[in-house]
Amino acid sequence: DVKVTQSSRYLVKRTGEKVFLECVQDMDHENMFWYRQDPGLGLRLIYFSYDVKMKEKGDIPEGYSVSREKKERFSLILESASTNQTSMYLCASSLGAGGGEQYFGPGTRLTVT
Amino acid sequence: GEDVEQSLFLSVREGDSSVINCTYTDSSSTYLYWYKQEPGAGLQLLTYIFSNMDMKQDQRLTVLLNKKDKHLSLRIADTQTGDSAIYFCAESALIKAAGNKLTFGGGTRVLVKP
């Protein structure tokens, strides 16, 4: 059964803290994605990676960075958390070729106070 | 760039049919997707349609694609209370020949009333 896991379901951090969100997939997928989900805005792509050590900016990369040292793991980093980064963060993965079906993790609800 | 639009909310009575509509802008999209998100969960793929098809049926789900108008719809027959969720449509775009990037609509919250 396909599985994408995220390190935390809920996280509360203070403004200015460095935050790490971890995502692991066990499907040997080449592509991995980080989105943030806000009411009425749908999912907006922050960063994606199509190979180990490769990364590409999505639609809203400002204030975020990513790391992909191993194929199965994709980390999202908030260098200095701000209150406008309070959101639901969703990780997804997909095969390198094919139609693009993405498999999602359960999400991490991050609150920055 | 790509843009995907959906209405925000749909209320339907149990047993009726639901129709969720979506418009998109990228005419080169090869696949269009419908995802479902239940409360507190990630997104789950419901169904998809290849861009050279007009219709796809999968049990209670029917997807209609009007490529000329860039309009996609999802019909759920005999809607049940378990169908209450947020539904997202998404269009795909190729990433450097390494797979597809999805652009999502804002989501339609479907409430099924008994």
Side-chain angles (χ1 to χ4, degrees):
Chain A
D1 198 17
V2 296
K3 201 110 187 228
V4 179
T5 55
Q6 295 184 228
S7 50
S8 307
R9 291 302 303 272
Y10 300 94
L11 210 51
V12 180
K13 295 291 181 182
R14 291 195 181 277
T15 301
E17 277 192 87
K18 191 168 185 175
V19 182
F20 292 87
L21 302 181
E22 304 283 340
C23 175
V24 177
Q25 51 96 2
D26 65 359
M27 297 163 282
D28 203 34
H29 282 170
E30 286 80 11
N31 300 329
M32 295 188 76
F33 306 83
W34 275 107
Y35 297 90
R36 65 177 280 176
Q37 181 182 8
D38 300 287
L41 297 177
L43 276 70
R44 292 180 291 166
L45 183 63
I46 305 171
Y47 267 97
F48 62 95
S49 168
Y50 53 90
D51 202 352
V52 175
K53 297 195 187 294
M54 305 299 286
K55 61 185 179 185
E56 291 279 341
K57 291 180 180 178
D59 301 317
I60 51 162
E62 296 78 20
Y64 303 95
S65 62
V66 290
S67 171
R68 189 151 181 219
E69 296 297 317
K70 293 185 178 181
K71 191 176 185 180
E72 67 271 18
R73 189 178 297 269
F74 192 35
S75 302
L76 180 70
I77 303 153
L78 287 68
E79 294 289 342
S80 177
S82 62
T83 54
N84 64 11
Q85 292 178 310
T86 291
S87 187
M88 170 72 90
Y89 289 88
L90 292 165
C91 174
S93 70
S94 71
L95 281 169
E101 175 184 349
Q102 293 184 11
Y103 296 85
F104 282 82
T108 296
R109 184 164 293 284
L110 172 68
T111 302
V112 183
T113 60
Chain B
E2 309 94 359
D3 193 21
V4 181
E5 305 255 343
Q6 297 177 241
S7 54
L8 284 178
F9 186 74
L10 176 67
S11 178
V12 62
R13 292 216 174 272
E14 191 175 13
D16 288 351
S17 293
S18 313
V19 179
I20 308 166
N21 294 301
C22 172
T23 56
Y24 62 97
T25 56
D26 188 353
S27 57
S28 65
S29 293
T30 50
Y31 289 88
L32 294 133
Y33 297 86
W34 284 104
Y35 281 83
K36 177 183 180 183
Q37 185 181 36
E38 295 182 0
L43 274 68
Q44 173 193 1
L45 180 68
L46 269 184
T47 187
Y48 65 93
I49 189 166
F50 191 52
S51 59
N52 68 355
M53 297 169 65
D54 298 323
M55 185 181 91
K56 180 179 179 182
Q57 187 144 7
D58 184 1
Q59 299 181 349
R60 291 191 298 123
L61 304 177
T62 304
V63 180
L64 294 177
L65 175 60
N66 181 329
K67 218 176 164 186
K68 175 176 164 287
D69 294 339
K70 299 193 187 71
H71 183 269
L72 182 73
S73 68
L74 174 69
R75 179 176 178 270
I76 307 172
D78 186 26
T79 312
Q80 304 297 307
T81 53
D83 296 324
S84 291
I86 303 176
Y87 292 80
F88 293 92
C89 69
E91 62 175 353
S92 65
L94 201 59
I95 314 170
K96 296 175 187 273
N100 291 53
K101 175 173 87 94
L102 299 183
T103 300
F104 288 85
T108 300
R109 185 178 294 274
V110 173
L111 177 64
V112 182
K113 296 180 180 177

